């Protein structure tokens, strides 16, 4: 690296690689009137220290773009902390986001740095997805320092937003421009589980070029909640169980699928604190895992079988009063979509039969059972308990008009 002297114009910083001379000014986008006049050093990572005509030093990093896509929620999800009001410095050291959950609540920060205070136009569009025209792929809006604990997604689908400097100039003379890219409430097209979004930032002024970035739009993390007298494995809700988990994993664009296992309490009622804690903890794990993988996600989707649907509904109904919300990073509505399969929302007559007749001795036609029952108690409750289905508070809570169902 070095400089090329020119008696008619200013010197230019250059890079010599593989026998080719390259003017470094052709590789960077600087403020109008600013150019690099000398390159004074290069390290093993290809980073170059250069001097500008304005007297400032510049660090050139291969692949660097003044536009970044950031997820400030990531550390709060990982450490289960209540999100704070954000300042620019905290935002700028946040982890990068590679995907955005299509849940209508999540957002990423678009951050652009420049030595000019001229307005910056942020824009987003679907890239290579073949989406029909007009399908919402997210919405741009102003940066809100409180958006993590009080999200206010804008209506509509604004595809461009003009931002003034959020902060600056800093000690190096840089201005920071921030905007929020909010996720749509669902994937734009059914059965299309991954959409790539192209993001750009263009600063007003002559000779400026658009900085580019990208982010994927994906479904939120998925929780699978089993029912009474079962487990994640028994319901086919765990990896390798050859059930629903393995099937949905083949359809999903990501691996953020989590079985909620409360097998030890599965005979207990759906409002049992231990059952509710199992759901809360798994939800926290899903959001933390998403954050560590680069996904910005504030909520999850849930598929629940049998009593699992009531477990989830009860969890959601108690959030406004504190309930079992052990994770302060969760939103007041942390479930984006709940799909229930075979859930007795109004109760089950079978539960009434089991609970009200558990001490009754049924008429046995099986000779083996007839012999066994000569030596042990063989009432209805004992028989179903021996089959792994004890008549406990879980069955009681599933009786139509039970106190739990009335909550």
């Amino acid at each position: 690296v070095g400089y090329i002297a020119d008696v008619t114009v200013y010197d230019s910083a250059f890079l010599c690689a593989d026998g080719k001379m390259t003017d470094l000014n052709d590789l960077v986008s600087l403020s109008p009137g600013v150019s690099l006049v000398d390159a004074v050093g290069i390290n093993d990572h290809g980073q170059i220290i250069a001097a500008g005509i304005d007297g400032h030093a510049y660090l050139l990093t291969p692949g660097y773009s003044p536009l970044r896509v950031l997820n400030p929620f990531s550390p709060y999800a990982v450490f289960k902390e209540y999100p704070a009001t954000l300042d620019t410095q905290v935002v700028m050291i946040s982890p990068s986001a590679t995907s955005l959950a299509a849940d209508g609540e999540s957002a990423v920060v678009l951050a652009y740095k420049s030595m000019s205070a001229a307005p910056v136009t942020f824009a987003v569009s679907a890239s290579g997805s073949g989406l029909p025209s007009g399908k919402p792929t997210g919405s741009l809006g102003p940066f809100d320092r409180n958006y993590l604990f009080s999200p206010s997604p804008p209506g509509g689908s604004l595809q461009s937003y003009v931002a003034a400097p959020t902060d600056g100039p800093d000690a190096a003379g840089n201005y920071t421009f921030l905007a929020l890219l909010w996720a749509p409430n669902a994937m734009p097209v059914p059965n299309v589980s991954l959409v790539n979004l192209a993001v750009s930032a263009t600063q007003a002024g002559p000779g400026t070029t658009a900085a580019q970035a990208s982010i994927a739009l994906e479904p939120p993390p998925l929780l699978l909640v089993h029912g009474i007298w079962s487990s994640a494995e028994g319901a086919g809700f765990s990896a390798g169980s050859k059930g629903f988990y393995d099937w949905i994993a083949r359809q999903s664009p990501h691996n953020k699928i989590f079985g909620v296992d409360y097998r030890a309490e599965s005979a207990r009622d759906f409002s049992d604190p231990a059952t509710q804690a199992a759901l809360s903890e798994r939800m926290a794990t899903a959001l933390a895992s998403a954050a560590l993988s680069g996904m910005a996600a504030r909520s999850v989707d849930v598929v629940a079988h049998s009593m699992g649907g009531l477990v989830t509904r009860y969890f959601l109904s108690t959030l406004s009063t504190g309930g079992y919300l052990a994770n302060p990073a969760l939103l007041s509505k942390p479930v984006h979509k709940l799909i229930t399969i075979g859930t007795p929302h109004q109760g089950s007559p079978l539960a009434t039969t089991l609970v009200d007749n558990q001490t009754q001795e049924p008429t046995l036609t099986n000779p083996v059972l007839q012999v066994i029952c000569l030596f042990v108690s063989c009432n209805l409750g004992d028989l179903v308990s021996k089959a792994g289905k004890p008549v406990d508070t879980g069955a009681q809570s599933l009786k139509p008009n039970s106190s739990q169902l009335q909550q």
Side-chain angles (χ1 to χ4, degrees), residues 47-65:
Q47 295 176 305
I48 299 172
I49 292 291
I53 196 173
D54 56 354
H56 290 293
Y58 292 86
L59 174 64
L60 310 182
T61 300
Y64 170 78
S65 170

Side-chain angles (χ1 to χ4, degrees), residues 370-386:
Q370 291 175 344
V371 173
I372 292 175
C373 290
L374 293 175
F375 304 96
V376 297
S377 174
C378 276
N379 58 42
L380 181 61
D382 290 334
L383 288 174
V384 295
S385 180
K386 289 180 174 65

Side-chain angles (χ1 to χ4, degrees), residues 39-53:
V40 297
I42 184 171
N43 64 19
D44 292 340
H45 300 291
Q47 295 176 305
I48 299 172
I49 292 291
I53 196 173

Side-chain angles (χ1 to χ4, degrees), residues 132-265:
S133 176
K135 286 291 183 179
T137 55
S139 186
L140 290 167
F143 174 70
D144 178 0
R145 298 180 188 276
N146 300 319
Y147 89 95
L148 286 182
F149 62 83
S150 183
S152 300
S157 181
L158 189 63
Q159 302 297 286
S160 66
Y161 173 74
V162 180
T166 306
D167 206 350
D170 59 17
N174 288 306
Y175 293 87
T176 302
F177 301 78
L178 302 177
L180 289 174
L181 171 59
W182 293 91
N185 193 46
M187 293 300 293
V189 177
N191 302 320
V192 175
S193 56
L194 178 67
V195 173
N196 292 313
L197 302 181
V199 180
S200 65
T202 307
Q203 190 160 39
T208 59
T209 58
Q212 304 287 338
S214 63
I215 187 168
L217 187 63
E218 298 182 295
L222 177 62
L223 297 189
L224 307 177
V225 188
H226 65 80
I228 190 170
W229 301 319
S230 188
S231 64
E233 182 180 7
F237 284 178
S238 62
S241 59
K242 299 181 180 180
F244 183 80
Y245 183 106
D246 294 334
W247 177 83
I248 199 67
R250 292 192 294 269
Q251 325 300 319
S252 175
H254 57 65
N255 61 356
K256 288 169 278 295
I257 304 172
F258 303 85
V260 178
D261 199 331
Y262 59 97
R263 69 179 69 194
E265 293 81 29

